[in-house]
Amino acid sequence: MQKVSFELSGEFVELNQLLKLVGLCDSGGAGKMMVAEGGVKVDGKQELRKTAKIRAGQQVSVGDVRISVVGV
């Protein structure tokens, strides 16, 4: 499993934007499609809200990639 750490500078980041910012997709729209297809988990649970607010301390999984969101 590939582990990626994302430093959160604000209060939250929208899920589709997080996927774009870590390089898992080319655009926010492509991120929304990934979420809609059901392949994204937040803290181990499937997440279907494309713009879910992801905060520091949460983990997002897509396939074999795990993104840890950390506060600055």
Side-chain angles (χ1 to χ4, degrees):
M1 176 167 287
Q2 180 184 353
K3 294 184 179 182
V4 178
S5 183
F6 177 79
E7 287 191 8
L8 184 64
S9 57
E11 181 184 348
F12 66 87
V13 62
E14 291 181 349
L15 181 55
N16 64 314
Q17 292 299 316
L18 175 64
L19 298 174
K20 179 180 88 170
L21 292 170
V22 298
L24 290 178
C25 59
D26 294 330
S27 68
K32 286 182 179 182
M33 288 180 57
M34 288 176 71
V35 176
E37 290 169 356
V40 180
K41 292 184 178 181
V42 175
D43 294 332
K45 297 180 182 176
Q46 185 181 42
E47 181 60 75
L48 296 174
R49 296 174 297 156
K50 301 169 187 82
T51 58
K53 294 177 180 177
I54 306 300
R55 302 177 194 280
Q58 290 189 293
Q59 291 197 350
V60 177
S61 301
V62 181
D64 65 343
V65 178
R66 179 175 291 153
I67 306 161
S68 295
V69 181
V70 294
V72 178

